[in-house]
Amino acid sequence: MDNIPDEKTPLLCIDNLRVEFATYGGKIRAVRGISLEMNEGECVAVIGESGCGKSVSAKSILRLLPRRQAKITDGRIFFDGIDLLSLSEKEMEKIRGDRIGMIFQDPMTSLNPTMTVGKQIAEVLTRHQKISKAEARERTIEFLRLIGIANPEKRYREYPGSLSGGLRQRIVIAIAMCLNPRLLIADEPTTALDVTIQAQILDLMRELRHKFNTAIMLITHDLGVVANMASRVIVFYAGQIIEEGLADDIFYTPKHPYTWGLIKSMPKLNSGERESLVSIEGVPPDLFADLKGCAFAVRCEYAMNFCAEYEPPLTELCGGRRVRCWLNRNDMPDALRPEWIKSERTDVREPVINGGLE
Ligand code: SF4
């Protein structure tokens, strides 16, 4: 796994983001106070179950949420020092593609089926840069070659429907990366692909990241993909961050019962031991409701009486780690803490985000 670059000013800074959706059934509080930072060139994985707010947070960065239903009710998003939520739509268009690229899960929905793939990439180049069509064509072919597409001149003239899933996803990556963005948001980029193609796409993303020093926000529920790519991991649950840390720390010493369950649900191929897999019983809470206490309480085997009453703050541990669980508080009696937390006890600082027992 790669080290986090030593950068002082974060490339991306999200501060207390809250997003609501208006539906016939009422308001859904999809994102409930997310704060995170990303540095230049690092790969951060955002993991969690469907509906936990990871894709909504990512789309908020690019302001791609459906305008009629979605509303950012609070928070700020800074990219490279620019307050993205204060930009006009025209200014935002310049940022999209040019400085922040995005890859979606299904390449078929991101590509125009009536346009050749070459033209779709060339169009991105001419829209953002003052170059002629011939130059854009040349650069597109060059880029197709760079990302390992054989016979790029021929591929340039082909339509998405005639390409395999893996090739289509390479084209989507080419569209997202051809302007050398500083941040790439990849939302489940390999979910629709089979395992061997998945590995090739991850290799390509890793290669492009090193070549262009692009930061990658990798949204996934696949922990294998996380282990392959990310230096840091952020775990979402019910619209909040519940744990964050270096990938190794998250995999080897999870501090939140939900993360612990996720890691224990992963089969280990080379441990040599027979271990039963853990499944997390129950379902995430209803985000229509105004949640009280810990959102994980009804599913948590370590829940204490007050967990359902008082929301745990996101507590900062050492080493850039953050956890939203009362068990990690300094003042928590050891008798109440499960072995897997006790054995790796980390120094705890005071909570950094609002909330608390008092
Ligand atoms: Fe479980 Fe309580 Fe921690 Fe929530 S705060 S994860 S309910 S122990």
Side-chain angles (χ1 to χ4, degrees), residues 256-258 294-298 300-304 307-308 312 324-327:
H256 192 284
Y258 175 69
C294 172
F296 190 59
V298 287
C300 181
E301 60 179 291
Y302 307 100
M304 297 158 280
C307 289
R324 191 183 290 280
C325 171
W326 289 120
L327 292 172

Side-chain angles (χ1 to χ4, degrees), residues 66-344:
R67 271 193 219 150
R68 284 180 167 214
Q69 297 91 5
K71 191 172 175 203
I72 294 178
T73 56
D74 201 359
R76 301 177 85 180
I77 302 174
F78 290 94
F79 171 74
D80 212 4
I82 303 165
D83 182 355
L84 293 183
L85 300 183
S86 71
L87 297 184
S88 67
E89 188 46 38
K90 212 170 174 192
E91 288 167 326
M92 203 55 219
E93 261 171 35
K94 281 191 198 141
I95 301 262
R96 283 187 214 118
D98 191 358
R99 299 172 73 182
I100 308 178
M102 184 145 189
I103 303 172
F104 295 98
Q105 183 183 133
D106 181 2
M108 249 349 236
T109 53
S110 336
L111 295 171
N112 179 348
T114 64
M115 200 178 192
T116 65
V117 291
K119 271 197 181 160
Q120 293 187 53
I121 304 170
E123 197 182 57
V124 174
L125 292 171
T126 49
R127 204 186 311 138
H128 288 272
Q129 294 178 346
K130 287 191 180 101
I131 55 171
S132 68
K133 281 186 178 172
E135 210 178 324
R137 185 179 187 282
E138 214 169 283
R139 281 179 49 185
T140 299
I141 290 172
E142 212 176 285
F143 202 82
L144 290 176
R145 194 170 286 120
L146 178 86
I147 61 170
I149 292 185
N151 204 349
E153 291 84 358
K154 178 175 168 274
R155 294 294 186 202
Y156 186 97
R157 297 189 298 273
E158 289 183 333
Y159 289 88
S162 63
L163 304 179
S164 66
L167 260 179
R168 282 201 289 260
Q169 195 60 310
R170 274 178 193 263
I171 300 297
V172 172
I173 292 176
I175 291 173
M177 294 290 290
C178 64
L179 291 166
N180 187 9
R182 297 185 64 200
L183 172 65
L184 176 69
I185 299 173
D187 192 353
E188 305 276 6
T190 56
T191 305
L193 306 172
D194 67 48
V195 183
T196 41
I197 305 296
Q198 205 177 72
Q200 289 171 16
I201 294 295
L202 293 178
D203 280 348
L204 173 64
M205 284 173 57
R206 203 179 297 115
E207 210 179 294
L208 291 175
R209 178 183 150 227
H210 285 302
K211 203 170 187 81
F212 300 121
N213 196 30
T214 311
I216 299 180
M217 178 185 279
L218 180 65
I219 299 167
T220 183
H221 60 262
D222 185 334
L223 294 176
V225 170
V226 176
N228 255 316
M229 295 283 292
S231 51
R232 204 149 59 82
V233 179
I234 300 176
V235 187
F236 275 45
Y237 187 80
Q240 291 182 318
I241 290 175
I242 53 138
E243 184 157 7
E244 176 182 349
L246 294 177
D248 282 351
D249 289 344
I250 295 286
F251 277 104
Y252 294 110
T253 60
K255 295 285 179 194
H256 192 284
Y258 175 69
T259 319
W260 182 81
L262 282 182
I263 305 297
K264 287 299 225 182
S265 67
M266 261 178 96
K268 293 184 191 70
L269 294 178
N270 50 4
S271 71
E273 293 165 28
R274 277 175 173 266
E275 231 183 309
S276 47
L277 298 180
V278 167
S279 67
I280 305 170
E281 300 295 330
V283 289
D286 180 2
L287 293 178
F288 280 109
D290 232 342
L291 293 180
K292 198 177 168 202
C294 172
F296 190 59
V298 287
R299 303 173 77 185
C300 181
E301 60 179 291
Y302 307 100
M304 297 158 280
N305 289 342
F306 57 85
C307 289
E309 282 295 313
Y310 300 97
E311 184 179 283
L314 196 55
T315 303
E316 196 175 313
L317 313 184
C318 60
R321 218 147 168 208
R322 297 193 291 168
V323 191
R324 191 183 290 280
C325 171
W326 289 120
L327 292 172
N328 288 276
R329 290 269 301 201
N330 253 348
D331 45 12
M332 184 58 55
D334 254 4
L336 292 174
R337 299 152 69 90
E339 281 307 316
W340 53 267
I341 286 188
K342 267 194 275 182
S343 58
E344 293 291 343

